[in-house]
Amino acid sequence: MAEEKTRQEQEGRTPNRRRAFLQALAGVGAGAAAAGVGLQVLDGPRAEAAEIPPPLAEATGTALVRMQQDLERAMTSGRTPSWMMVVDTRKCIGCNACTVACKAEVPTGPGGFCRRVIQKELPIGPRPFAVFKPVNCLQCDDPPCAKAVPEGMIRKRADGIVEMDHVRLTGPYAEAAARACPWRLIHVDRKTTYTEDTPQPQAYENRKFEEYGREYQRQGVFNNLFDRARKCTFCLHRLERGELPACVTTCIGGAMYFGDMSDRTSLVYEVTQGRRIFKGHENLGVKPRVIYFEESMPGAVHVDCDACHAR
Amino acid sequence: MNNEPIRENRQPEDKTGRRELLAGALLGGALLARVEQAQAAEAAPGALKPVDPSQHIYTTCLQCNTGCEIKVRIQEGLAVKIEGNPYGPRAMDPHIDWATPAAQAARIHGHICPKGQAGIQTTYDPYRVTKVLKRAGARGEGKWVTIPFEQAVTEIVEGGVLFPQDGGRSVTGFRDLYALKDPAAFKAMAADVALIQSKKMTVAEFKEKHKDHLGALIDPDHPDFGPKNNQFVFNWGRLKAGRQDFFLRFVKDSFGSNNAHGHTTVCQGSIYFAGKSMSDQPSGGTFTGGAKAYWMADLSHAEFVIFWGANVLEGNYGPPLKVPKITRGLASGRLKAAVIDPRHSKIAAKAWKWLPVKPGQDAAIALAMIQWIIENERFDRRYLENCNKAAAAADGEPTWTNAAWLVKIREDGTAGAFLRAPEAGLAGDADTFVAMRNGQPVAFKSDDAANAAEGDLFVDAVVNGIRVKSGLQLLREEALKNSIYGWAALAGVSASDIMALASEFTSHGKKAVVEIHRGVSQHTNGFYNVLVTMGALNTLIGNLDWKGGLIYGGGAYGETGGTGRPFQLGDHPAKISPFGIDIIRGGASYEKSTIFNGYPAKRPWYPLASDVYQEVIPSAGDAYPYPIKILMLYMGSPVYALPAGHSLIPVLRDTDKIPLFIASDITIGETSMYADYIFPDLTFLERWEFHRTHPSIAHRVSPVRQPAVAPPTDTVRIYGEEMPVSIEALFLALAERLQLPGWGPGGFAGKGDLKRPEDYYLRMVANVAFGNSSSGSEVCPDASEEEMAIFLNARKHLPKSVFDPERWQQAVGSDWWRKVVYVLNRGGRWLPYDKAWSGEQVASKYGKLVNLYHEKPATTRHSLTGRYLSGVPSYNPVSDSLGQPLDHREAPFQLITNRNMLQTKSRTIADYWLTDIQPENYVEMSTLDAQRLGLKDGDEVWVLSAWNPDAQWELGHGQTKPLVGKVRVTSRIRPGVVTFELGWGHFAYGASVQSIDGKAIPPDPRRGRGIHANSAMVVDPYLRSPLSDVVGGSAVFYDTRVYIVKA
């Protein structure tokens, strides 16, 4: 601690930090929504040391193998699983591997993303900072999209996945669903491809794929998804085969956890115990099934999710 | 859609939404009832749907140089999805047991980066070249005709008036260039050239002795140029083992050219050659035999790492391999990280400290740290006092240094060679060195395993009348040339941060590492920057070969042969050893050559380096040391990749300087657009290769690249074998026409034929199946019946020209076939996870002398200044090739580049999934600078420099591309520095119009977006080619200053 103090004195950090902290309190009180105020700056060891949950020391590969075994157990137990996706935000590096994996796994057109990664730069006191956060359909327990369209066109499955009825949910209904999502995580498929205006349109773009248990082709005559509401399906077609979702396996940061929350022996359940968890749009009551660790790397600059989100 | 943050709405935005929300709330009860009904209707899952293991082919990615293990899902003959291969350590940490049955591994997927996921699009690229293209206009004009493969081969073999539009010019083909053929003649002349160079034979005597072969020489008055065969220059970009061995078998072993050059210096150049200097061993009175290799951190166990000029979460070597170890370490608290980089990179965002160093001033920080460590005695004294193997072994250390060895000081005060025992009046030979112990000189040999020698660390004395200093004393003096505050001021960082780093670095025993990359090496002072950082700092704490310390890499499985292996790929009935100074004068001595003509030499000589990418074409342009006749370029784009790559364009367009230019490429790229012929090649999903390893991989690894999908190129027949057009087909066809020994029937000298690529590559797979133990104790099992079926089913979609199981089995024989299948079903072979470490050290050790002081550079003259180089890890200011300061005409910004994980150098712009996420790059500058210049996000700006005041790419034929980009304002960069991400700003590769057979192929504007500001970078005033580190070879990316002007 003595060394820490000397460093701070030398660099004049302490007065700045204090000022920023006071500004932050004022900012929250005034209801300001812009990034840059409402930030709590902690440089160095966290003040609430007692609250730090046990570190997750296991390696990505170990976690993937265990989650795949958890998945096989969930899919053969005879019980309906309750899917949850958990993101260790500390480990996301904003690389977009998951974004591309999702597109390759379940073909979508240009500009159509079922998964994205937010990269935000936040100026904090003397040090710059960046936060990385992947987002996809939260598979809300009380989905706003379902309420924006006629009954039954969007239904909540027992396992937690929110399912679009691709037969009836089309055109203006699909658009209404897309507009209703607070995070804009639903897009409407326009049947466009990446190579259609090039010298040689490529066949892989029209390959067959499964969505909600049916087979489609993006350029198929009868089995395309033109004007349908597309979004993350928790890779249901992979789960049915005992394969983890594409974004979970491809994550090179090891930030992704997935599994059956009702199985107390599963890794996804274990990692959420004793941690500060951020759930998007709690104020809207959506009850998301994609939840995030609310902590930062030890020793690195910390930002509370409150900086950008109202709860 | 670019990477804009999504607007997080706290309320429904529009009235419609609000109404719908309310309506939903009213319907709530009814809706809930429906949901409950639906839940009841869904059955609970029972059995898993099956996964067919034969839907995957296991291979190796090549979207960057990391070479991650992947599996490719094939659906109706197409590659549709890529996953990480869990058998390999790049894609799974820890990787799964190699014995895991293929059927079980089918459900387990590893991780892979966004480029890896997009690899499908590199193969299924609308701008693929699928037929041989011959230029129909002038070079670079963009006019091509397709010609049959056989005709193209005939033309380049026989030469003649191949291009009527060039006037009557006759091109020398391969046949006429294959002037010297007899391996014995090569050997005899090479030996006598060595005598000429050591002044034991005159040129006249040579000409008399070899008068029958003088016509085969490039220049009989300069026999050290070698034969005309050397005028065939083969240059490559991204090339790995297997393919490299196959190509060099043609170029060197069979055709006899000494000109086979890679691209190393555009990547890390000076890191490799500083590493080579660090690993040179004493032998025969000199220092020699160093490996072109370097060291990195054991990230799985390190406790403190300084990531220095190393963008580990965005590029480097590479993300799937290193990121999981780093994030796991950071999150668990095991790893603490500090970052030294002008940019606040992604690793800086997760690190304890970020030092925003001024580009090029890294040595200042390193020497300040070294000063602190020495003055506070925080170095590993016990390690540094060891002078030889025996002393190291007694302390349980795998390595030792020359920190205590005595160095002779010249009259002018500079340090020269090590003192030898006879010079000190002690018994010994030219490999016996001297240290001081308790006031007495002691003699020892470096590799003596029996007699331990230790020495005092800080010696400045006179021994036998000779002024001497110890290696560590010289380093200390260098570090003391400035105060810590003085060094900090040079580097533009805080002295207290430097001291905090030094303290932390010396507080973790051997589990602390300085890990560097291009930010340190791609400067004019790169070689010495590497020596003070990767070299001296790590050596001071003696972390080499220790778990959590500095590691050298676990090696590979002897793919090309070795003791006990079933196949020796070097078997050749008439193997040639080429001789002669090569076109980049690599590993050669200017002073010993017959063209020595005082200083400066016409172009630099590189006694300490090789693979100097930025020298090949400019040297051809200057015909120095001799003119060339044929340039063949493989999977490379020096015009795009090199800093100031535009300076190569006039040479490439000049048919006098490069009479025949052949490119092997998958598209018409920024360099192949200037070729005479483009031979289409296969993408990495369609072919073979052996990617081997990296310094940061502690495990022994042999990932295999094998065909996963059918290629779009034509099928041709060579040596009676049907195969797709590829570069292997080209070399096989050339060999067939020229009747080269070592190819075709009996190519392996009575041990088999070399008629198709698989004859070569499957033998390598068999060697992998053999394992690493020469006793044969690691031979892998045979593939089971089930695995044989999986293997065959997985390849049903491949045509016989690509996959013919009977023909494949014939290549390796029935003894090895099922073992080859076992390896191919897994995509390679890797050491079991736990075996990479043995106790507290790594299992594969570097295990010998590591040089802290460098005798070889100290006794080598700079070919342009004539002065001896320094052997001391030291601070050197940035300068041009003659050692003069660069005149940037007061340009205010230092220009650097950085990697974004979405793009690799030149070849990923075709991947539309990646450009959909980020369509373009930006000129990124700090908030302070933007405010000062009145610039905001999205403003278009010119990037001008003294070397490109017009801010244009000059492409030839009046074609230009402006150096204009959009600004991105960020707090995440040091003020005074601007950067742009590499991979955008294309002017070929589908971004420009090309005409094939009279038909214009429309370009795709998505491919031309962004800025590629390499042409603003320094063109060395003396070399008239890219700025270089003339000692270590690095092509310099980060020492240009520019103006940013609003467009």
Side-chain angles (χ1 to χ4, degrees):
Chain A
M1 250 357 249
E3 194 186 283
E4 180 105 22
K5 202 173 163 199
T6 310
R7 179 172 58 76
Q8 284 166 4
E9 278 170 359
Q10 279 182 354
E11 297 180 323
R13 283 253 188 105
T14 312
N16 285 345
R17 181 153 59 111
R18 201 171 170 71
R19 210 181 301 136
F21 185 77
L22 290 170
Q23 268 176 1
L25 291 178
V28 166
V37 276
L39 304 176
Q40 184 181 24
V41 182
L42 294 173
D43 194 319
R46 288 177 57 144
E48 323 91 69
E51 284 178 34
I52 299 177
L56 231 57
E58 96 291 310
T60 324
T62 313
L64 283 176
V65 168
R66 181 168 165 198
M67 285 193 285
Q68 196 273 327
Q69 288 165 352
D70 289 346
L71 173 63
E72 283 200 29
R73 205 166 57 246
M75 294 301 291
T76 54
S77 64
R79 230 178 357 92
T80 303
S82 179
W83 302 125
M84 185 70 76
M85 182 177 277
V86 180
V87 183
D88 181 351
T89 343
R90 304 168 302 173
K91 296 206 221 141
C92 178
I93 60 169
C95 73
N96 280 290
C98 54
T99 309
V100 184
C102 178
K103 261 191 176 290
E105 182 65 40
V106 184
T108 50
F113 292 91
C114 294
R115 170 119 166 166
R116 281 204 196 91
V117 183
I118 297 168
Q119 181 169 321
K120 231 180 169 131
E121 179 179 321
L122 300 161
I124 298 178
R127 268 181 79 161
F129 180 69
V131 64
F132 313 105
K133 190 171 150 197
V135 292
N136 46 268
C137 170
L138 307 183
Q139 317 290 355
C140 306
D141 280 353
D142 192 9
C145 57
K147 295 177 192 164
V149 299
E151 237 186 274
M153 283 197 189
I154 296 177
R155 76 168 183 111
K156 178 78 177 173
R157 290 163 49 105
D159 60 11
I161 295 173
V162 173
E163 178 176 328
M164 300 335 217
D165 179 347
H166 281 331
V167 175
R168 294 187 294 151
L169 185 73
T170 179
Y173 296 127
E175 281 163 29
R179 271 202 308 276
C181 176
W183 276 8
R184 296 280 195 271
L185 292 163
I186 299 171
H187 72 273
V188 179
D189 192 321
R190 300 299 182 198
K191 210 185 166 198
T192 50
T193 65
Y194 289 95
T195 57
E196 61 193 15
D197 290 329
T198 68
Q200 296 182 75
Q202 298 289 314
Y204 75 93
E205 297 214 71
N206 194 36
R207 65 123 167 154
K208 295 182 183 125
F209 63 97
E210 261 183 67
E211 192 155 300
Y212 308 115
R214 288 201 154 86
E215 189 179 88
Y216 298 98
Q217 283 174 273
R218 288 205 64 249
Q219 303 274 284
V221 176
F222 297 111
N223 59 346
N224 64 70
L225 282 169
F226 177 70
D227 256 9
R228 307 308 202 284
R230 306 284 308 280
K231 68 174 191 66
C232 168
T233 63
F234 269 4
C235 276
L236 174 60
H237 63 290
R238 279 169 72 116
L239 301 179
E240 289 171 339
R241 290 168 173 84
E243 296 170 278
L244 291 164
C247 57
V248 174
T249 55
T250 205
C251 180
I252 61 178
M256 297 298 299
Y257 296 94
F258 183 88
D260 177 9
M261 262 319 244
S262 64
D263 177 358
R264 301 285 159 117
T265 68
S266 69
L267 182 61
V268 75
Y269 178 80
E270 213 176 275
V271 301
T272 51
Q273 300 313 296
R275 307 203 95 88
R276 277 174 69 177
I277 296 290
F278 169 74
K279 296 182 186 178
H281 297 290
E282 282 186 296
N283 59 318
L284 296 178
V286 301
K287 299 192 213 51
R289 284 179 179 252
V290 181
I291 60 180
Y292 300 79
F293 283 9
E294 187 173 350
E295 52 187 281
S296 307
M297 289 299 195
V301 177
H302 174 77
V303 172
D304 278 336
C305 301
D306 293 343
C308 303
H309 298 281
R311 311 244 193 177
Chain B
M1 172 109 28
N2 57 19
N3 209 10
E4 273 168 26
I6 300 164
R7 256 177 308 133
E8 286 101 25
N9 300 320
R10 293 187 184 84
Q11 327 258 354
E13 267 199 328
D14 52 36
K15 285 190 181 153
T16 320
R18 201 188 292 262
R19 254 206 304 279
E20 282 170 355
L21 195 65
L22 285 170
L26 285 173
L27 285 170
L31 184 64
L32 276 171
R34 282 288 175 92
V35 169
E36 275 155 11
Q37 238 178 1
Q39 284 174 348
E42 240 173 69
L48 285 174
K49 285 188 182 169
V51 169
D52 178 8
S54 60
Q55 70 180 325
H56 290 122
I57 289 187
Y58 288 68
T59 183
T60 309
C61 187
L62 194 57
Q63 290 281 79
C64 82
N65 193 29
T66 309
C68 297
E69 302 91 355
I70 55 175
K71 53 172 127 166
V72 183
R73 192 191 321 154
I74 311 293
Q75 192 178 294
E76 294 175 311
L78 294 174
V80 297
K81 179 73 171 68
I82 291 176
E83 319 273 0
N85 172 358
Y87 288 108
R90 284 169 260 225
M92 195 84 160
D93 173 44
H95 48 288
I96 64 175
D97 191 339
W98 199 49
T100 307
Q104 192 182 328
R107 285 198 166 92
I108 306 173
H109 306 310
H111 53 250
I112 196 75
C113 87
K115 298 186 303 298
Q117 287 286 350
I120 291 161
Q121 297 184 310
T122 294
T123 290
Y124 299 132
D125 179 1
Y127 291 88
R128 272 294 283 277
V129 171
T130 57
K131 298 201 183 286
V132 181
L133 298 179
K134 179 181 178 181
R135 81 171 154 90
R139 284 205 183 143
E141 202 182 333
K143 295 195 168 116
W144 308 89
V145 287
T146 56
I147 60 171
F149 175 81
E150 292 77 10
Q151 178 191 332
V153 171
T154 303
E155 290 185 11
I156 64 178
V157 168
E158 309 304 338
V161 181
L162 300 177
F163 306 96
Q165 68 269 35
D166 290 356
R169 138 183 127 90
S170 182
V171 174
T172 307
F174 280 97
R175 191 178 298 288
D176 286 341
L177 221 48
Y178 183 39
L180 194 64
K181 297 175 183 167
D182 176 12
F186 271 89
K187 201 166 167 193
M189 286 206 268
D192 287 343
V193 161
L195 293 179
I196 291 175
Q197 297 214 323
S198 56
K199 308 265 189 279
K200 294 186 180 132
M201 183 188 271
T202 65
V203 171
E205 285 163 353
F206 180 99
K207 284 164 83 167
E208 177 53 38
K209 181 173 173 188
H210 297 282
K211 57 177 180 278
D212 292 338
H213 291 295
L214 291 186
L217 293 178
I218 294 174
D219 184 344
D221 291 330
H222 296 281
D224 52 350
F225 289 177
K228 288 177 175 160
N229 313 43
N230 287 351
Q231 293 177 301
F232 164 46
V233 174
F234 181 66
N235 193 197
W236 64 85
R238 172 51 61 221
L239 177 62
K240 308 305 292 187
R243 261 199 159 186
Q244 175 162 339
D245 303 284
F246 189 95
F247 299 171
L248 296 187
R249 184 186 185 85
F250 180 95
V251 177
K252 295 187 128 171
D253 300 350
S254 309
F255 189 83
S257 168
N258 210 17
N259 277 310
H261 304 290
H263 70 277
T264 306
T265 56
V266 73
C267 287
Q268 298 94 346
S270 299
I271 303 186
Y272 278 105
F273 301 113
K276 185 166 197 279
S277 192
M278 285 168 63
S279 60
D280 273 334
Q281 304 292 308
S283 169
T286 62
F287 276 75
T288 185
K292 183 189 150 191
Y294 61 100
W295 288 262
M296 281 185 147
D298 176 18
L299 289 171
S300 300
H301 302 100
E303 292 176 4
F304 179 63
V305 179
I306 303 176
F307 292 108
W308 202 319
N311 196 8
V312 286
L313 298 188
E314 296 170 76
N316 199 270
Y317 241 154
L321 171 64
K322 295 169 81 149
V323 170
K325 300 175 175 74
I326 294 170
T327 55
R328 161 165 68 114
L330 291 174
S332 69
R334 183 251 305 160
L335 173 65
K336 189 167 186 174
V339 175
I340 302 180
D341 195 315
R343 276 180 73 233
H344 184 262
S345 55
K346 287 183 178 179
I347 182 67
K350 297 188 191 287
W352 164 60
K353 274 194 183 296
W354 170 50
L355 275 63
V357 65
K358 268 191 199 163
Q361 302 300 326
D362 305 276
I365 297 179
L367 288 164
M369 287 178 66
I370 289 168
Q371 185 186 129
W372 190 94
I373 292 170
I374 289 177
E375 300 310 294
N376 287 284
E377 298 197 22
R378 295 281 284 250
F379 48 85
D380 187 340
R381 176 177 289 279
R382 195 177 73 146
Y383 172 74
L384 293 169
E385 285 182 343
N386 293 332
C387 292
N388 66 2
K389 189 169 185 172
D395 289 338
E397 284 283 2
T399 69
W400 61 98
T401 81
N402 51 30
W405 298 17
L406 298 179
V407 181
K408 294 187 292 186
I409 307 302
R410 297 188 186 102
E411 293 273 325
D412 63 3
T414 61
F418 286 109
L419 183 69
R420 288 348 194 238
E423 293 171 306
L426 299 171
D429 60 20
D431 293 330
T432 314
F433 300 92
V434 185
M436 197 73 96
R437 196 55 164 172
N438 301 323
Q440 292 302 310
V442 295
F444 58 88
K445 277 190 184 264
S446 179
D447 55 3
D448 188 340
N451 307 294
E454 292 181 351
D456 296 342
L457 293 181
F458 301 103
V459 177
D460 183 352
V462 177
V463 172
N464 212 16
I466 304 168
R467 177 101 192 273
V468 292
K469 293 182 186 177
S470 60
L472 194 59
Q473 172 65 16
L474 288 164
L475 180 65
R476 177 168 179 258
E477 289 176 7
E478 183 65 31
L480 286 171
K481 279 186 178 162
N482 220 330
S483 68
I484 289 179
Y485 290 89
W487 287 126
L490 267 177
V493 300
S494 100
S496 55
D497 274 346
I498 294 178
M499 290 189 275
L501 255 62
S503 173
E504 193 69 37
F505 181 66
T506 51
S507 299
H508 293 269
K510 292 174 188 295
K511 290 192 156 85
V513 185
V514 162
E515 184 175 281
I516 67 166
H517 212 229
R518 302 175 78 242
V520 170
S521 65
Q522 304 308 96
H523 294 274
T524 62
N525 48 14
F527 184 82
Y528 291 99
N529 292 348
V530 175
L531 291 187
V532 287
T533 50
M534 180 180 85
L537 278 167
N538 287 313
T539 307
L540 283 180
I541 64 169
N543 60 4
L544 284 85
D545 288 343
W546 288 87
K547 194 169 174 180
L550 193 68
I551 63 174
Y552 207 44
Y557 280 93
E559 299 101 340
T560 50
T563 316
R565 271 75 179 170
F567 299 104
Q568 309 302 327
L569 276 302
D571 283 342
H572 193 296
K575 184 171 167 178
I576 293 172
S577 290
F579 74 97
I581 300 164
D582 64 44
I583 193 68
I584 63 171
R585 304 158 304 281
S589 161
Y590 176 47
E591 290 77 17
K592 289 188 184 161
S593 73
T594 61
I595 50 165
F596 178 77
N597 192 23
Y599 303 98
K602 185 168 178 187
R603 290 197 69 83
W605 290 61
Y606 291 90
L608 305 179
S610 63
D611 298 306
V612 187
Y613 205 36
Q614 69 273 25
E615 272 300 327
V616 179
I617 290 159
S619 294
D622 286 350
Y624 184 77
Y626 45 79
I628 74 165
K629 297 286 188 194
I630 302 177
L631 171 68
M632 189 187 291
L633 179 66
Y634 163 76
M635 197 168 176
S637 192
V639 169
Y640 184 89
L642 284 170
H646 66 292
S647 62
L648 274 58
I649 296 175
V651 176
L652 288 173
R653 292 184 57 225
D654 190 330
T655 54
D656 287 335
K657 299 188 170 158
I658 302 182
L660 180 58
F661 176 20
I662 300 163
S664 166
D665 208 336
I666 57 172
T667 61
I668 303 172
E670 274 77 13
T671 309
S672 54
M673 64 183 270
Y674 297 102
D676 295 322
Y677 296 87
I678 300 181
F679 282 83
D681 194 21
L682 308 179
T683 64
F684 70 91
L685 289 181
E686 298 159 341
R687 62 177 178 82
W688 294 95
E689 208 160 26
F690 292 77
H691 201 99
R692 290 206 181 134
T693 187
H694 295 296
S696 54
I697 302 178
H699 298 82
R700 185 171 300 280
V701 295
S702 278
V704 177
R705 186 166 290 130
Q706 60 176 316
V709 290
T713 56
D714 293 334
T715 303
V716 291
R717 197 175 180 81
I718 305 162
Y719 288 119
E721 298 275 339
E722 303 249 308
M723 64 189 78
V725 172
S726 66
I727 190 169
E728 284 99 351
L730 174 56
F731 279 124
L732 283 161
L734 289 173
E736 191 179 37
R737 295 297 179 93
L738 296 169
Q739 297 175 296
L740 291 187
W743 296 83
F748 285 113
K751 302 233 177 76
D753 303 335
L754 176 50
K755 299 198 286 191
R756 63 175 304 113
E758 285 74 22
D759 286 339
Y760 199 88
Y761 299 130
L762 288 170
R763 283 177 161 83
M764 292 178 71
V765 179
N767 285 341
V768 172
F770 178 82
N772 194 49
S773 165
S774 46
S775 69
S777 60
E778 290 181 7
V779 174
C780 77
D782 282 355
S784 62
E785 282 304 322
E786 188 193 11
E787 287 219 359
M788 288 303 301
I790 291 170
F791 179 79
L792 293 171
N793 284 335
R795 288 156 181 75
K796 277 200 178 119
H797 63 291
L798 295 174
K800 267 209 154 43
S801 59
V802 173
F803 174 66
D804 178 346
E806 275 107 47
R807 185 58 182 84
W808 281 29
Q809 181 170 345
Q810 197 186 45
V812 291
S814 50
D815 286 346
W816 289 96
W817 175 231
R818 295 188 97 141
K819 299 180 198 309
V820 162
V821 170
Y822 189 93
V823 174
L824 292 179
N825 266 354
R826 287 152 180 77
R829 181 174 191 154
W830 304 269
L831 194 71
Y833 184 79
D834 293 329
K835 295 251 184 325
W837 298 275
S838 159
E840 280 306 299
Q841 296 172 1
V842 283
S844 286
K845 300 191 207 322
Y846 168 71
K848 45 188 188 287
L849 169 73
V850 60
N851 296 314
L852 179 65
Y853 176 79
H854 298 255
E855 174 176 292
K856 188 161 168 188
T859 53
T860 300
R861 290 189 190 275
H862 189 296
S863 61
L864 302 182
T865 65
R867 289 195 294 273
Y868 281 117
L869 301 173
S870 171
V872 182
S874 49
Y875 176 85
N876 293 275
V878 168
S879 72
D880 67 16
S881 57
L882 296 176
Q884 301 304 308
L886 291 162
D887 179 9
H888 302 275
R889 312 242 179 97
E890 283 151 47
F893 292 105
Q894 192 143 358
L895 177 69
I896 64 171
T897 68
N898 65 277
R899 169 86 345 109
N900 177 317
M901 209 193 296
L902 293 171
Q903 296 287 335
T904 289
K905 287 253 161 60
S906 71
R907 63 184 185 270
T908 42
I909 200 68
D911 302 340
Y912 295 115
W913 289 331
L914 303 176
T915 48
D916 201 1
I917 294 169
Q918 185 174 326
E920 62 190 329
N921 62 350
Y922 301 89
V923 176
E924 304 188 40
M925 65 167 48
S926 82
T927 324
L928 289 175
D929 289 328
Q931 278 169 5
R932 205 165 39 79
L933 293 179
L935 292 171
K936 56 187 194 312
D937 274 349
D939 282 348
E940 292 210 326
V941 292
W942 293 94
V943 178
L944 284 95
S945 68
W947 293 275
N948 197 337
D950 295 330
Q952 301 279 347
W953 275 90
E954 296 287 341
L955 306 175
H957 297 290
Q959 299 166 70
T960 59
K961 185 176 166 90
L963 271 180
V964 173
K966 288 184 190 156
V967 168
R968 197 169 85 86
V969 182
T970 175
S971 58
R972 296 176 63 201
I973 192 165
R974 187 193 169 86
V977 178
V978 295
T979 188
F980 66 97
E981 292 169 331
L982 291 163
W984 283 267
H986 280 265
F987 49 86
Y989 220 100
S992 60
V993 176
Q994 299 284 320
S995 155
I996 299 179
D997 292 336
K999 186 174 154 224
I1001 313 290
D1004 182 342
R1006 287 175 291 183
R1007 297 192 180 210
R1009 296 185 63 172
I1011 181 170
H1012 189 58
N1014 284 22
S1015 64
M1017 295 180 187
V1018 176
V1019 179
D1020 185 277
Y1022 178 69
L1023 302 179
R1024 297 148 290 120
S1025 61
L1027 186 65
S1028 299
D1029 171 4
V1030 176
V1031 179
S1034 274
V1036 174
F1037 280 78
Y1038 310 130
D1039 295 334
T1040 302
R1041 298 190 74 88
V1042 296
Y1043 298 86
I1044 303 295
V1045 176
K1046 192 161 180 180

